[in-house]
Amino acid sequence: MKRKKIKTKPAGSPKTAPLNGAGANGAGANASNASKKSRREAMRRFGEWGLLGAVIAGGGIYAIGHVSATIGELDLSKLGNGRPTIVQIHDPNCPRCVELQGETRDALAEFDGELQYLVANIRSEKGRDFAQEHGVGHVTLILFDGKGRKRDVLVGNNSSATLTREFRRLLRSSNAAKASG
């Protein structure tokens, strides 16, 4: 059988009373308490870090999805791919443009992917060229049919209700054009 080593306190240190029936100097209880405390602390910290990790991961997934969607919206080569398209002439530093973009996205939510939304960012060369080609400035929506033919131009801010009506009209005319040939 192994002998237990009993640690002795240095001379002059205060004596502690035994806790929970532990040995004469209470070392067993203090070690047990310290062990419980450190495990509890470790689990608490693990929970905090786990929560933080989950928040960061969720934010990363959202950011990746948002960036991917934004990159897809900037691809003006999608125009004329068979889906009616709304192209916003957009300046990301313009509050009116950002407001129009929000109203447009709200209106598009009702169409479940029937319409395609693209952005011509006038801060880029392609976006500026696109706006000049169509003779429009920012805070403008250009509506195209599925073949890429310009059907309407909406200049200035509009409510999502107004945009929804205009988008329905675009869909009706595009569907009628498909049906007739």
Side-chain angles (χ1 to χ4, degrees):
M1 224 168 136
K2 289 186 176 182
R3 289 179 67 189
K4 285 187 179 180
K5 290 186 180 181
I6 298 176
K7 292 184 181 181
T8 58
K9 291 193 177 191
S13 66
K15 293 185 178 181
T16 57
L19 298 172
N20 298 329
N25 65 0
N30 285 340
S32 176
N33 256 353
S35 173
K36 283 181 185 175
K37 239 184 191 178
S38 65
R39 276 188 296 226
R40 232 182 257 134
E41 182 67 19
M43 291 306 289
R44 184 183 66 78
R45 286 189 186 267
F46 177 74
E48 289 172 355
W49 284 104
L51 179 61
L52 179 64
V55 168
I56 290 171
I61 290 169
Y62 171 78
I64 288 169
H66 181 71
V67 168
S68 295
T70 302
I71 290 170
E73 289 175 353
L74 295 173
D75 184 4
L76 296 172
S77 69
K78 293 179 179 179
L79 189 60
N81 66 357
R83 286 176 54 199
T85 303
I86 290 89
V87 178
Q88 179 177 354
I89 311 302
H90 181 72
D91 178 351
N93 295 329
C94 168
R96 290 180 57 219
C97 289
V98 172
E99 182 182 336
L100 176 60
Q101 189 171 48
E103 294 293 334
T104 303
R105 289 182 194 280
D106 287 348
L108 287 169
E110 295 187 27
F111 293 94
D112 196 34
E114 293 176 273
L115 295 170
Q116 179 172 245
Y117 175 65
L118 301 175
V119 175
N121 182 346
I122 62 170
R123 298 274 176 175
S124 73
E125 187 176 339
K126 282 183 180 181
R128 274 191 307 275
D129 291 348
F130 186 87
Q132 286 176 353
E133 179 184 328
H134 292 282
V136 297
H138 66 289
V139 195
T140 301
L141 297 176
I142 306 175
L143 283 57
F144 294 90
D145 65 13
K147 294 182 179 178
R149 294 180 297 218
K150 187 179 352 179
R151 293 296 177 193
D152 204 356
V153 176
L154 306 174
V155 179
N157 286 3
N158 289 288
S159 69
S160 61
T162 300
L163 294 175
T164 299
R165 279 194 306 276
E166 293 297 324
F167 297 167
R168 277 197 187 106
R169 199 163 57 98
L170 173 65
L171 265 179
R172 278 194 303 272
S173 69
S174 292
N175 289 338
K178 275 184 195 177
S180 66

PDB file of all heavy atoms in Angstrom, residues 82 84 114 145-146 168-181:
ATOM      1  N   GLY A  82     -34.059  35.260 -70.386  1.00  0.00           N
ATOM      2  CA  GLY A  82     -35.379  34.626 -70.370  1.00  0.00           C
ATOM      3  C   GLY A  82     -36.255  35.054 -69.202  1.00  0.00           C
ATOM      4  O   GLY A  82     -37.451  34.782 -69.205  1.00  0.00           O
ATOM      5  N   PRO A  84     -37.824  38.202 -66.920  1.00  0.00           N
ATOM      6  CA  PRO A  84     -37.984  39.652 -66.829  1.00  0.00           C
ATOM      7  C   PRO A  84     -37.064  40.183 -65.714  1.00  0.00           C
ATOM      8  O   PRO A  84     -36.908  39.543 -64.679  1.00  0.00           O
ATOM      9  CB  PRO A  84     -39.453  39.833 -66.456  1.00  0.00           C
ATOM     10  CG  PRO A  84     -40.116  38.560 -66.857  1.00  0.00           C
ATOM     11  CD  PRO A  84     -39.082  37.491 -66.713  1.00  0.00           C
ATOM     12  N   GLU A 114     -39.783  35.109 -59.770  1.00  0.00           N
ATOM     13  CA  GLU A 114     -40.260  35.275 -61.148  1.00  0.00           C
ATOM     14  C   GLU A 114     -39.509  36.397 -61.855  1.00  0.00           C
ATOM     15  O   GLU A 114     -39.402  36.393 -63.079  1.00  0.00           O
ATOM     16  CB  GLU A 114     -41.753  35.592 -61.169  1.00  0.00           C
ATOM     17  CG  GLU A 114     -42.640  34.466 -60.698  1.00  0.00           C
ATOM     18  CD  GLU A 114     -44.083  34.913 -60.670  1.00  0.00           C
ATOM     19  OE1 GLU A 114     -44.503  35.469 -59.640  1.00  0.00           O
ATOM     20  OE2 GLU A 114     -44.775  34.705 -61.697  1.00  0.00           O
ATOM     21  N   ASP A 145     -37.892  43.022 -70.401  1.00  0.00           N
ATOM     22  CA  ASP A 145     -38.583  41.742 -70.553  1.00  0.00           C
ATOM     23  C   ASP A 145     -37.547  40.620 -70.570  1.00  0.00           C
ATOM     24  O   ASP A 145     -36.344  40.873 -70.457  1.00  0.00           O
ATOM     25  CB  ASP A 145     -39.467  41.729 -71.810  1.00  0.00           C
ATOM     26  CG  ASP A 145     -38.689  41.827 -73.115  1.00  0.00           C
ATOM     27  OD1 ASP A 145     -37.443  41.667 -73.118  1.00  0.00           O
ATOM     28  OD2 ASP A 145     -39.334  42.069 -74.155  1.00  0.00           O
ATOM     29  N   GLY A 146     -37.987  39.392 -70.730  1.00  0.00           N
ATOM     30  CA  GLY A 146     -37.096  38.236 -70.677  1.00  0.00           C
ATOM     31  C   GLY A 146     -36.062  38.204 -71.793  1.00  0.00           C
ATOM     32  O   GLY A 146     -35.034  37.545 -71.677  1.00  0.00           O
ATOM     33  N   ARG A 168     -45.783  43.787 -61.554  1.00  0.00           N
ATOM     34  CA  ARG A 168     -46.858  42.902 -62.043  1.00  0.00           C
ATOM     35  C   ARG A 168     -47.162  43.198 -63.510  1.00  0.00           C
ATOM     36  O   ARG A 168     -47.381  42.288 -64.313  1.00  0.00           O
ATOM     37  CB  ARG A 168     -48.124  43.081 -61.201  1.00  0.00           C
ATOM     38  CG  ARG A 168     -48.110  42.282 -59.943  1.00  0.00           C
ATOM     39  CD  ARG A 168     -49.507  42.127 -59.331  1.00  0.00           C
ATOM     40  NE  ARG A 168     -49.352  41.483 -58.046  1.00  0.00           N
ATOM     41  CZ  ARG A 168     -49.469  42.086 -56.868  1.00  0.00           C
ATOM     42  NH1 ARG A 168     -49.798  43.351 -56.806  1.00  0.00           N
ATOM     43  NH2 ARG A 168     -49.295  41.416 -55.747  1.00  0.00           N
ATOM     44  N   ARG A 169     -47.197  44.488 -63.819  1.00  0.00           N
ATOM     45  CA  ARG A 169     -47.441  44.900 -65.205  1.00  0.00           C
ATOM     46  C   ARG A 169     -46.342  44.363 -66.126  1.00  0.00           C
ATOM     47  O   ARG A 169     -46.612  43.862 -67.219  1.00  0.00           O
ATOM     48  CB  ARG A 169     -47.515  46.428 -65.269  1.00  0.00           C
ATOM     49  CG  ARG A 169     -48.186  46.965 -66.494  1.00  0.00           C
ATOM     50  CD  ARG A 169     -48.606  48.419 -66.311  1.00  0.00           C
ATOM     51  NE  ARG A 169     -47.499  49.277 -65.961  1.00  0.00           N
ATOM     52  CZ  ARG A 169     -46.823  50.036 -66.824  1.00  0.00           C
ATOM     53  NH1 ARG A 169     -47.146  50.024 -68.100  1.00  0.00           N
ATOM     54  NH2 ARG A 169     -45.838  50.795 -66.419  1.00  0.00           N
ATOM     55  N   LEU A 170     -45.085  44.435 -65.679  1.00  0.00           N
ATOM     56  CA  LEU A 170     -43.965  43.896 -66.450  1.00  0.00           C
ATOM     57  C   LEU A 170     -44.130  42.393 -66.664  1.00  0.00           C
ATOM     58  O   LEU A 170     -43.949  41.888 -67.779  1.00  0.00           O
ATOM     59  CB  LEU A 170     -42.636  44.177 -65.736  1.00  0.00           C
ATOM     60  CG  LEU A 170     -41.387  43.529 -66.334  1.00  0.00           C
ATOM     61  CD1 LEU A 170     -41.107  44.077 -67.727  1.00  0.00           C
ATOM     62  CD2 LEU A 170     -40.192  43.734 -65.417  1.00  0.00           C
ATOM     63  N   LEU A 171     -44.512  41.686 -65.606  1.00  0.00           N
ATOM     64  CA  LEU A 171     -44.717  40.230 -65.728  1.00  0.00           C
ATOM     65  C   LEU A 171     -45.839  39.905 -66.711  1.00  0.00           C
ATOM     66  O   LEU A 171     -45.705  38.991 -67.530  1.00  0.00           O
ATOM     67  CB  LEU A 171     -45.045  39.631 -64.360  1.00  0.00           C
ATOM     68  CG  LEU A 171     -43.891  39.057 -63.566  1.00  0.00           C
ATOM     69  CD1 LEU A 171     -44.374  38.523 -62.229  1.00  0.00           C
ATOM     70  CD2 LEU A 171     -43.161  37.987 -64.327  1.00  0.00           C
ATOM     71  N   ARG A 172     -46.953  40.645 -66.607  1.00  0.00           N
ATOM     72  CA  ARG A 172     -48.080  40.395 -67.527  1.00  0.00           C
ATOM     73  C   ARG A 172     -47.650  40.604 -68.972  1.00  0.00           C
ATOM     74  O   ARG A 172     -47.931  39.785 -69.845  1.00  0.00           O
ATOM     75  CB  ARG A 172     -49.263  41.311 -67.185  1.00  0.00           C
ATOM     76  CG  ARG A 172     -50.116  40.816 -66.050  1.00  0.00           C
ATOM     77  CD  ARG A 172     -51.454  41.554 -65.977  1.00  0.00           C
ATOM     78  NE  ARG A 172     -51.302  42.995 -65.845  1.00  0.00           N
ATOM     79  CZ  ARG A 172     -51.184  43.654 -64.695  1.00  0.00           C
ATOM     80  NH1 ARG A 172     -51.223  43.003 -63.557  1.00  0.00           N
ATOM     81  NH2 ARG A 172     -51.060  44.962 -64.680  1.00  0.00           N
ATOM     82  N   SER A 173     -46.938  41.710 -69.229  1.00  0.00           N
ATOM     83  CA  SER A 173     -46.530  41.979 -70.618  1.00  0.00           C
ATOM     84  C   SER A 173     -45.505  40.957 -71.089  1.00  0.00           C
ATOM     85  O   SER A 173     -45.529  40.545 -72.250  1.00  0.00           O
ATOM     86  CB  SER A 173     -45.998  43.402 -70.758  1.00  0.00           C
ATOM     87  OG  SER A 173     -44.760  43.558 -70.099  1.00  0.00           O
ATOM     88  N   SER A 174     -44.608  40.507 -70.203  1.00  0.00           N
ATOM     89  CA  SER A 174     -43.625  39.501 -70.573  1.00  0.00           C
ATOM     90  C   SER A 174     -44.292  38.165 -70.852  1.00  0.00           C
ATOM     91  O   SER A 174     -43.936  37.469 -71.816  1.00  0.00           O
ATOM     92  CB  SER A 174     -42.584  39.326 -69.478  1.00  0.00           C
ATOM     93  OG  SER A 174     -41.796  40.483 -69.385  1.00  0.00           O
ATOM     94  N   ASN A 175     -45.266  37.795 -70.023  1.00  0.00           N
ATOM     95  CA  ASN A 175     -45.992  36.528 -70.226  1.00  0.00           C
ATOM     96  C   ASN A 175     -46.820  36.578 -71.504  1.00  0.00           C
ATOM     97  O   ASN A 175     -46.929  35.581 -72.229  1.00  0.00           O
ATOM     98  CB  ASN A 175     -46.867  36.209 -69.022  1.00  0.00           C
ATOM     99  CG  ASN A 175     -46.043  35.816 -67.809  1.00  0.00           C
ATOM    100  OD1 ASN A 175     -44.895  35.403 -67.942  1.00  0.00           O
ATOM    101  ND2 ASN A 175     -46.611  35.971 -66.623  1.00  0.00           N
ATOM    102  N   ALA A 176     -47.405  37.744 -71.802  1.00  0.00           N
ATOM    103  CA  ALA A 176     -48.186  37.884 -73.031  1.00  0.00           C
ATOM    104  C   ALA A 176     -47.263  37.762 -74.250  1.00  0.00           C
ATOM    105  O   ALA A 176     -47.631  37.139 -75.258  1.00  0.00           O
ATOM    106  CB  ALA A 176     -48.909  39.216 -73.039  1.00  0.00           C
ATOM    107  N   ALA A 177     -46.062  38.347 -74.164  1.00  0.00           N
ATOM    108  CA  ALA A 177     -45.104  38.276 -75.272  1.00  0.00           C
ATOM    109  C   ALA A 177     -44.655  36.829 -75.491  1.00  0.00           C
ATOM    110  O   ALA A 177     -44.486  36.382 -76.630  1.00  0.00           O
ATOM    111  CB  ALA A 177     -43.911  39.174 -75.000  1.00  0.00           C
ATOM    112  N   LYS A 178     -44.468  36.076 -74.390  1.00  0.00           N
ATOM    113  CA  LYS A 178     -44.077  34.663 -74.499  1.00  0.00           C
ATOM    114  C   LYS A 178     -45.172  33.858 -75.182  1.00  0.00           C
ATOM    115  O   LYS A 178     -44.915  32.994 -76.022  1.00  0.00           O
ATOM    116  CB  LYS A 178     -43.818  34.049 -73.108  1.00  0.00           C
ATOM    117  CG  LYS A 178     -42.452  34.266 -72.585  1.00  0.00           C
ATOM    118  CD  LYS A 178     -42.324  33.512 -71.265  1.00  0.00           C
ATOM    119  CE  LYS A 178     -41.142  33.940 -70.485  1.00  0.00           C
ATOM    120  NZ  LYS A 178     -41.064  33.260 -69.174  1.00  0.00           N
ATOM    121  N   ALA A 179     -46.416  34.120 -74.779  1.00  0.00           N
ATOM    122  CA  ALA A 179     -47.562  33.364 -75.291  1.00  0.00           C
ATOM    123  C   ALA A 179     -47.771  33.626 -76.789  1.00  0.00           C
ATOM    124  O   ALA A 179     -48.176  32.718 -77.522  1.00  0.00           O
ATOM    125  CB  ALA A 179     -48.817  33.721 -74.519  1.00  0.00           C
ATOM    126  N   SER A 180     -47.475  34.851 -77.236  1.00  0.00           N
ATOM    127  CA  SER A 180     -47.721  35.169 -78.643  1.00  0.00           C
ATOM    128  C   SER A 180     -46.564  34.758 -79.554  1.00  0.00           C
ATOM    129  O   SER A 180     -46.671  34.811 -80.759  1.00  0.00           O
ATOM    130  CB  SER A 180     -47.981  36.663 -78.801  1.00  0.00           C
ATOM    131  OG  SER A 180     -46.832  37.410 -78.490  1.00  0.00           O
ATOM    132  N   GLY A 181     -45.478  34.333 -78.959  1.00  0.00           N
ATOM    133  CA  GLY A 181     -44.443  33.819 -79.843  1.00  0.00           C
ATOM    134  C   GLY A 181     -43.124  34.282 -79.454  1.00  0.00           C
ATOM    135  O   GLY A 181     -42.101  34.127 -79.755  1.00  0.00           O
TER     136      GLY A 181
END
